[in-house]
Amino acid sequence: MSSAPRTHSSYTFAVTTPAEKAPYLTDRLQGFGTTIFTAMSALAMETGAVNLGQGFPDTDGPIEVSQAAVAAINAGHNQYPPLAGLPVLREAIAHHRQHHRGQIFDPDGEILVTTGATEALAASLLALTGPGDEVVTFEPYYDSYAAGIAMSGATRRVVTLRGSDFAFDPDELEAAFTPQTKLLLLNTPHNPTGKVFNRTELELISRICIERDVLVVVDEVYEHLVYEDHDHIPIATLPGMAERTITISSAGKIFSFTGWKIGWACGPAELIAAVRTAKQFLTFASGGPWQHAVATGLHLGDDFFDGYTAEMAAKRERLCAGLEAAGFDTIRPQGTYFATVDIRSVGATDGIEFCMALPHTAGVVAVPTQVFYDNEDEGRHLVRFAFCKKDEVLDEAARRLLATEAF
Ligand code: PMP
Ligand code: GLN
């Protein structure tokens, strides 16, 4: 686990141990630099390239929801909301989980509103793990996982997802667990690969976690973005799992308001109480007006949620067809709003070099998947493109890629 930090403009990004130390930064955070998303969006700004890097929609979410935020501000809901979140939002979260997933959570004690899923993840790791503990997760992993584990002082152990279906080897998973394993950090639908863990995989993971008495934190921020015949199965609904699982969601992802930074964690009262203790000293409370608005959103009818999935499914097809036409071997994601290509199909080998050059060769920005691995070689050939963008933006990116003679 060692690699030099990569530098572009004023940003250094790396998720593994750097060769040189960053001044002032505590040892726990050496190597984290600036996130790849910030670095790549900066590159897009500098070069004027089409930005299919950072995963944020370029259109607003439902108007009823944004109007509810404006109304909340104008109604004077502008002081600290309660630490656990507004009751009206916790009720709406309970409704959403029951209606869409059949899960029952008590708004009073089993639901905690956070400042995005990012805070829910960090607060869970800080509350539940510490030095001497180990956290198992799959690589590639969403970048804040490694940083959150590092901030808590725990040690991460990764299990690699491989092949076009991003499968894992059950023996490798079993071997990653030790007597020090405290927690498994799972993400389904999975960023950056788009994998949706199936029932067989989730049952296997559950069996091991129950046998080893390990807690689970599951990041389900893309739960409404699952395509074709794939199903999102909350691991907390499997036998023996509700009592050991914290489920994390993001209004930014559900409603395409990523700048609002409202998320939540649901789970057994004792686990949520622990996370609440950490959360209160990170931010205490999370944006009041947005909480009112998200409560409105969670009561929207199925037509909204189905329409959102259908809209992203069409964009998935649009971008994947464009990538294929440009000569890329493309992995159609089962979920999320990210598609992955194998750059060896266009004669490239190193994702970071490829993504650094792409704004110049093609006028497009993408994200090198290899930065999400401890074992970088496993993902060197993979690059992620986001398709949560206007059709004309996706078409322009596809046109530019098709017109590129050499990458
Ligand atoms: N988890 C995953 C898998 C993500 O892709 C993201 C990015 N939205 C987050 C967590 C963070 O979510 P939020 O913006 O709500 O903090
Ligand atoms: N989750 C988004 C992505 O994967 C980025 C969020 C961020 O910039 N931190 O692209």
Side-chain angles (χ1 to χ4, degrees):
M1 198 192 64
S2 103
S3 77
R6 321 290 177 132
T7 304
H8 176 77
S9 309
S10 48
Y11 297 116
T12 301
F13 57 87
V15 291
T16 48
T17 311
E20 292 159 31
K21 280 198 135 192
Y24 302 110
L25 188 64
T26 183
D27 282 350
R28 288 194 306 285
L29 290 179
Q30 286 293 329
F32 287 97
T34 301
T35 82
I36 189 70
F37 309 116
T38 302
M40 285 304 173
S41 282
L43 189 53
M45 292 286 281
E46 275 171 35
T47 59
V50 177
N51 188 359
L52 303 188
Q54 193 176 20
F56 63 91
D58 58 359
T59 46
D60 277 347
I63 185 81
E64 316 79 302
V65 178
S66 52
Q67 279 172 345
V70 173
I73 292 172
N74 289 335
H77 296 304
N78 297 309
Q79 306 309 328
Y80 293 127
L83 157 64
L86 288 172
V88 67
L89 176 55
R90 283 185 277 120
E91 296 280 354
I93 292 167
H95 159 78
H96 175 264
R97 297 240 54 98
Q98 181 166 10
H99 178 71
H100 293 277
R101 311 287 162 217
Q103 292 174 285
I104 308 281
F105 292 104
D106 181 353
D108 217 1
E110 296 185 334
I111 295 175
L112 175 69
V113 176
T114 57
T115 303
T118 308
E119 190 195 33
L121 286 159
S124 299
L125 291 163
L126 289 167
L128 304 174
T129 69
D133 294 331
E134 293 181 359
V135 177
V136 174
T137 196
F138 293 95
E139 70 171 2
Y141 46 74
Y142 181 59
D143 68 347
S144 84
Y145 296 5
I149 295 166
M151 285 193 281
S152 86
T155 302
R156 72 178 178 273
R157 287 191 167 263
V158 298
V159 177
T160 307
L161 301 172
R162 293 196 183 87
S164 58
D165 56 352
F166 296 104
F168 63 88
D169 175 347
D171 293 336
E172 266 181 49
L173 179 62
E174 195 99 43
F177 282 73
T178 73
Q180 281 68 51
T181 309
K182 182 79 185 287
L183 190 146
L184 177 111
L185 179 50
L186 178 67
N187 174 212
T188 185
H190 183 264
N191 181 9
T193 66
K195 175 188 177 68
V196 176
F197 284 72
N198 63 35
R199 187 171 292 278
T200 310
E201 292 170 323
L202 293 172
E203 282 174 354
L204 184 90
I205 295 167
S206 300
R207 177 185 57 74
I208 301 175
C209 290
I210 292 168
E211 275 171 18
R212 309 288 184 118
D213 194 18
V214 160
L215 299 171
V216 173
V217 171
V218 61
D219 174 344
E220 300 187 355
V221 301
Y222 298 103
E223 66 174 304
H224 287 291
L225 295 179
V226 174
Y227 310 116
E228 295 171 346
D229 53 353
H230 300 285
D231 257 346
H232 172 63
I233 304 170
I235 197 169
T237 60
L238 269 49
M241 292 305 290
E243 53 266 45
R244 64 181 67 250
T245 302
I246 292 178
T247 303
I248 290 176
S249 311
S250 165
K253 297 294 167 181
I254 299 177
F255 298 113
S256 305
F257 288 117
T258 60
W260 289 7
K261 298 299 298 187
I262 296 293
W264 51 92
C266 299
E270 284 185 352
L271 286 178
I272 293 296
V275 181
R276 195 168 57 228
T277 299
K279 185 247 159 36
Q280 71 187 335
F281 299 117
L282 292 171
T283 53
F284 178 65
S286 306
W290 321 123
Q291 293 197 34
H292 283 278
V294 172
T296 301
L298 289 172
H299 284 291
L300 289 176
D302 290 347
D303 50 338
F304 162 73
F305 294 94
D306 295 344
Y308 178 47
T309 312
E311 185 193 342
M312 285 300 167
K315 291 185 184 297
R316 161 187 183 262
E317 199 42 47
R318 199 172 193 107
L319 177 67
C320 288
L323 292 170
E324 279 163 1
F328 291 99
D329 276 354
T330 304
I331 302 172
R332 278 182 162 59
Q334 300 170 343
T336 75
Y337 39 52
F338 306 111
T340 298
V341 300
D342 183 338
I343 55 171
R344 293 173 299 193
S345 52
V346 296
T349 49
D350 184 277
I352 291 180
E353 279 170 21
F354 175 88
C355 288
M356 287 306 191
L358 198 63
H360 307 285
T361 55
V364 176
V365 162
V367 164
T369 304
Q370 82 200 66
V371 304
F372 306 122
Y373 288 81
D374 287 355
N375 304 296
E376 273 197 34
D377 284 343
E378 296 277 0
R380 199 172 292 284
H381 58 293
L382 299 175
V383 165
R384 189 196 86 170
F385 290 84
F387 53 82
C388 46
K389 307 292 175 182
K390 292 189 185 89
D391 287 350
E392 56 267 34
V393 172
L394 297 176
D395 291 348
E396 177 59 19
R399 194 192 61 72
R400 291 181 183 198
L401 292 167
L402 182 64
T404 303
E405 309 225 314
F407 289 98

